[in-house]
Amino acid sequence: MLMEKGLVENGFIIDLSAAQNTTQLVSELNSIIEHPDVRRKNVCLKLGSLDLKQSQLLSIKALIESKDASIAFVDTSSEQTEASAVSLGIVISKVSEQDIQQNLNENVSEETATEGTGEYNNEENRTVEITPEIELPTGTIETAEGIEDIYDEMSTQEISEVIPSETFNSSDFGSFAAQEGLLPTEENSKYILLDTGNVLPEGIEENSSDNAQLPTLYLNQTLRSGQTVNYNGNIFIIGDAHPGSEIIATGDITVWGILGGIAHAGSEGNITSKVRALKLNAIQLRIAGLYARRNDTMNVPYVQKTNEFTPEEAQIEDGKIVIYKKLRRN
Amino acid sequence: MTGRVIVITSGKGGVGKTTTSANIGTALAKNGYKVVLIDTDLGLRNLDLLLGLENRIVYTIVDVIEERCKLKQALVKDKKNPNLSLLAAAQTRDKTAVNAEQLKDICDKLKEKNDFVLVDCPAGIEQGFQNAVAGASEAIVVTTPEMSAIRDADRIIGLLNTKEDINSTKLLLNRVRPNLIKSNEMMSVDDVVGILEIPLLGIIPEDTGIITSTNKGEPIVNDENALAGKAYRNVAQRILGEEVPFLNLDEPKGFMAKLKNAISKLKVKV
C-alpha cells in the first residue's frame, strides 16, 4: 500500500521510533500532540519496530483524531503493526531521512526541541489520502421529515414484506404545521432527519455502488465512549457501541449488540449503505448525506434486556431513512 | 516484596476519587498492610487534607523527581497508623512538572517496600491521567449514579483497556442513595453495572458523615458507626481477596425498624 510522493500541506512527522513499549509511545505522543499547532494537521507517524495490535493502533488513531488531527500514514518496520494498519485502512509509507533533516532545520518549535526524542516537524512533500472531516453544522433545525418506523407486533410477515404505511413529505408537513400553528412532532418515528443540507464532502457524489465488493473490518470488542472506528469498507462489530462512540464506514455497518453511539454508513456517498444492529439506539444515524437524530420521545432504558432484542436495519428509501425491524415469528 | 499498585480514577471530577483513596488506604493499613498513598493531582492537592496531614508536608513528589530529597524523606507518616504514609503532590506546580516515566519509577520503587501503592488520579484524561496510570497494574474506576459521571467512566474504561500493564479494572459506585433508587429517581446499581460492564468492587452510600470527616481530616473508615465507613472497610476486604457480600442498603436494620417500615407501608395503602 505504498503511495506516491507528492505534496501535502499541513503535514507533520511524529517520530516515535525511540519508544520501547506502548506506554512510552502513548505518553510521548500525548506530550507532542498537546501542542496547539497539531490541530487540523495530517500526522505522519514513525513507529519504528514496535509491535502494535489492531486495538492499540485504533486507540492511537483515536487519540490523534481527538486533537482534530488525522493520520496521513504510518512508517513501521513491524509486520504486526503493518497488518494492524492495513486492517484499519491506514496508509503505510516510509519517511525518508531527507524529509526529517529538512524539516528539522525548517521548523522546530522550542518546546519540542527540548523534548529530545520526539521530532515535531512540518512536512510538505507528500500526497495523502485523507477523508475530509465532516462536521455537523451548528444550530441544526429539527424538521419533521418522513422517517418511518415499521413495527407491527401482531404481524408475522418477513421483513421484506413490510411496507411503510404512511409517509410524511417534508413540504406537506411543513405547510400543514404552518397553517395549524403546530410544532412538527412525530411521536411514532424513531429517528428524525436533521436539516443539515448537503453534508457530503466536496467532490463526492452520491452513488450506489455494491458494498459486497468492499473489504470488511471485523472487530470483536465493545466500543466505549470516545472510541472511533473509521474504515474504508464495511464494519462488523461483535459487541456494543456505547454512547459517545463513533463508527464511520464507507460501506455498511453491522453491530452484533446494542448500537448506542453515532453510526455513519456510506460516508462517501453510497446511498445503498445500511446500518444494522441487534438494538438500534444510535444517538444519530447517518447514511451517505442524510443525518437523523434519535427522537426525543424515544424511551431508552439504561440497560437493555437481552431478550427484548429485535434486529433492526436502517436504509435510505426515497430520500428518507427508514428503519425496519425484523419481526419474530409467532 | 512486590506490592500492588492500584490507580483510583474516574474521568469526571467530584465523584469521590480522593475520598476513596484516603479511605481504602486507611482501611488497608488498619488491616496491617503497609500502604503508600500518592497524590498525583499536582496544583490541586487534597489528599493531605482528607488525612489531616497538611501541616506535616515538607517535601513533595516534585522534590523527589527533581532530586531535592530522597523518596523516603518525602513520605509523610499518618498520625494514627504507622503503616500508612502519603507522598503529597506539589501545590505550587502543575501537571507538566512530572512525566509518566518518572511516576512509574516512583511506583516501582515504592512497591518494593510496601504492600499497596494507591495512586490518586486527577480528573480528566490528559497528561495527569496518563502519569497516574503509568505505574499501575490495577485500576479502580469511581463513579456516581449520574449519566455524566457514567459517560466519563465509560471513556476512562476504554482508555484503561488500551493500557497493557493494567490487568484489572473494577468499579466503585459512590454516593448511592437507596431511597432515590426506590422511587426511581436514581439509576440503580444494576443499571450502572449493566452500562459499564465491569466487575463491581463496592457500593458506597451517600453519607453526610463524609462532609464532617473531610473537614476534620479524619477518614470515615475510622468511624465504626458510619455506613459509608463500613462500605469502605468492605471494599478493602474485597481488595484483599475476601468475599464480602454487598451492604444491603434497602432494608432498615433491626426488628423495630422493620416494624415501622411495615406500618408505614400499610399507611400508604390505606
Side-chain angles (χ1 to χ4, degrees), chain A residues 59-293:
Chain A
S59 50
I60 289 172
K61 191 170 166 238
L63 191 68
I64 290 170
E65 280 164 5
S66 73
K67 298 288 170 203
D68 258 7
S70 53
I71 298 185
F73 62 86
V74 296
D75 176 354
T76 176
S77 56
S78 145
E79 281 180 18
Q80 195 187 344
T81 310
E82 199 171 319
S84 309
V86 169
S87 67
L88 291 171
I90 298 172
V91 181
I92 293 163
S93 183
K94 289 274 175 244
V95 180
S96 72
E97 289 297 318
Q98 273 181 336
D99 288 343
I100 292 178
Q101 215 55 45
Q102 194 187 340
N103 286 315
L104 262 180
N105 299 337
E106 275 174 12
N107 196 345
V108 180
S109 64
E110 273 177 48
E111 197 176 310
T112 47
T114 53
E115 282 283 335
T117 49
E119 274 129 318
Y120 183 84
N121 307 320
N122 225 333
E123 142 100 341
E124 285 182 348
N125 293 328
R126 247 148 242 292
T127 318
V128 188
E129 256 181 63
I130 306 278
T131 337
E133 294 239 348
I134 303 163
E135 273 176 33
L136 256 178
T138 46
T140 49
I141 307 154
E142 292 162 11
T143 50
E145 286 178 54
I147 298 188
E148 292 76 37
D149 194 3
I150 300 104
Y151 189 37
D152 185 358
E153 281 272 86
M154 306 305 290
S155 168
T156 53
Q157 280 175 308
E158 281 290 332
I159 180 169
S160 54
E161 295 168 51
V162 180
I163 296 157
S165 52
E166 199 186 343
T167 58
F168 275 111
N169 218 316
S170 61
S171 53
D172 292 355
F173 196 85
S175 57
F176 169 75
Q179 271 177 16
E180 300 289 311
L182 292 173
L183 281 172
T185 53
E186 274 186 76
E187 301 291 321
N188 301 323
S189 61
K190 196 167 169 179
Y191 283 89
I192 295 181
L193 271 191
L194 290 170
D195 184 14
T196 48
N198 183 18
V199 284
L200 281 177
E202 257 177 63
I204 290 174
E205 298 274 306
E206 277 192 4
N207 60 73
S208 39
S209 51
D210 187 6
N211 282 337
Q213 305 298 323
L214 292 173
T216 297
L217 173 71
Y218 186 93
L219 273 179
N220 195 351
Q221 71 169 90
T222 290
L223 286 187
R224 291 185 181 271
S225 174
Q227 295 179 321
T228 56
V229 196
N230 194 332
Y231 186 62
N232 200 349
N234 304 309
I235 296 179
F236 193 99
I237 292 175
I238 316 272
D240 298 340
H242 287 185
S245 65
E246 238 178 67
I247 309 169
I248 301 165
T250 54
D252 294 347
I253 293 171
T254 310
V255 177
W256 185 262
I258 306 161
L259 172 54
I262 290 175
H264 191 175
S267 61
E268 290 192 349
N270 187 348
I271 52 167
T272 63
S273 302
K274 292 173 181 176
V275 179
R276 306 179 193 91
L278 290 189
K279 189 84 200 170
L280 203 64
N281 283 348
I283 297 273
Q284 271 186 20
L285 266 185
R286 306 171 178 175
I287 301 179
L290 288 185
Y291 285 29
R293 66 166 172 87

Side-chain angles (χ1 to χ4, degrees), chain A residues 26 54-64 227, chain B residues 158-159 162:
Chain A
V26 172
Q54 191 187 343
S55 59
Q56 289 167 330
L57 199 58
L58 190 64
S59 50
I60 289 172
K61 191 170 166 238
L63 191 68
I64 290 170
Q227 295 179 321
Chain B
L159 291 172
T162 62

